[in-house]
Amino acid sequence: MAQENTAPEAEDLAGLEDFVAAEELDALRAERDDMRDRFMRALADAENARKRGERDRREAEQYGGSKLARDMLPVYDNLKRALDAATEETRAQAGALIEGLELTLRELTNVLKKHGVDEINPAIGEVFDPQQHQAMFEAPLPGTKAGQIIQVMGVGFMLHDRLLRPAQVGVSSNTQG
């Protein structure tokens, strides 16, 4: 009888081992799938971080000087005003000084252009663009249509595709041309 008892116990033990092995195998598969999912997410996160870092680097390179460029615009304005205020008599008396101011303004403009800063200098008669122009006043002017620029008080500036300062303009308020 002892042999009869051991045979069924051996079968039960083998079935139990198969059951535990299958259960362990399922657990290992689930763990593998979880690890694969975590790996793929980590890989995607790393790729996103790389792309974000590259974009941030490009933006810093392209727009990092915007504060300095914006701070240099009053220097441009003051040089321009000084030159605009010079009369023919002043030019005759202080020609070298005026020439120095012109050279300084030209060099400042070249440096700004070298770093991606371009003037927005609208022409009279152009259509007002709120993305690039700031309306300082509106006035009816015969022979113009509403929304046309009738006076330019100050040039604006763009840094690549970003507005540093809008051009200051007067706009026609006529309802008919």
Side-chain angles (χ1 to χ4, degrees):
M1 272 200 151
Q3 289 180 348
E4 289 176 21
N5 285 346
T6 57
E9 285 178 14
E11 284 179 16
D12 288 344
L13 191 57
L16 184 61
E17 286 176 351
D18 288 345
F19 176 73
V20 169
E23 196 172 274
E24 190 175 317
L25 187 59
D26 288 343
L28 288 173
R29 283 186 180 133
E31 186 177 348
R32 178 204 61 200
D33 292 346
D34 183 52
M35 292 294 184
R36 180 181 293 143
D37 183 55
R38 284 185 187 177
F39 173 74
M40 295 305 283
R41 288 176 190 267
L43 199 59
D45 285 346
E47 181 64 17
N48 288 339
R50 185 192 66 74
K51 287 178 182 176
R52 187 172 39 255
E54 178 66 24
R55 184 183 66 239
D56 290 349
R57 184 196 61 74
R58 271 194 321 272
E59 278 197 13
E61 187 177 288
Q62 200 166 29
Y63 302 111
S66 64
K67 188 170 177 3
L68 176 63
R70 194 173 287 116
D71 289 346
M72 292 302 295
L73 298 183
V75 175
Y76 173 92
D77 294 336
N78 291 333
L79 286 170
K80 190 99 167 103
R81 269 193 291 277
L83 288 170
D84 290 345
T87 61
E88 287 302 317
E89 184 181 322
T90 308
R91 288 181 183 275
Q93 291 175 352
L97 177 64
I98 300 299
E99 186 179 342
L101 287 173
E102 289 171 340
L103 289 172
T104 303
L105 181 62
R106 192 174 313 128
E107 183 64 23
L108 177 61
T109 303
N110 289 339
V111 168
L112 289 172
K113 280 184 183 182
K114 177 181 172 185
H115 291 280
V117 178
D118 292 311
E119 283 186 11
I120 302 171
N121 199 356
I124 292 177
E126 278 185 30
V127 176
F128 174 79
D129 178 0
Q131 299 296 319
Q132 294 187 346
H133 308 138
Q134 178 182 8
M136 302 306 286
F137 69 88
E138 275 189 284
L141 184 67
T144 62
K145 295 179 183 172
Q148 281 185 317
I149 295 172
I150 56 175
Q151 184 178 353
V152 178
M153 281 93 58
V155 296
F157 291 91
M158 297 281 291
L159 175 60
H160 300 291
D161 58 347
R162 288 188 183 170
L163 185 67
L164 281 178
R165 181 177 80 188
Q168 298 173 333
V169 298
V171 181
S172 174
S173 63
N174 281 356
T175 54
Q176 58 223 335

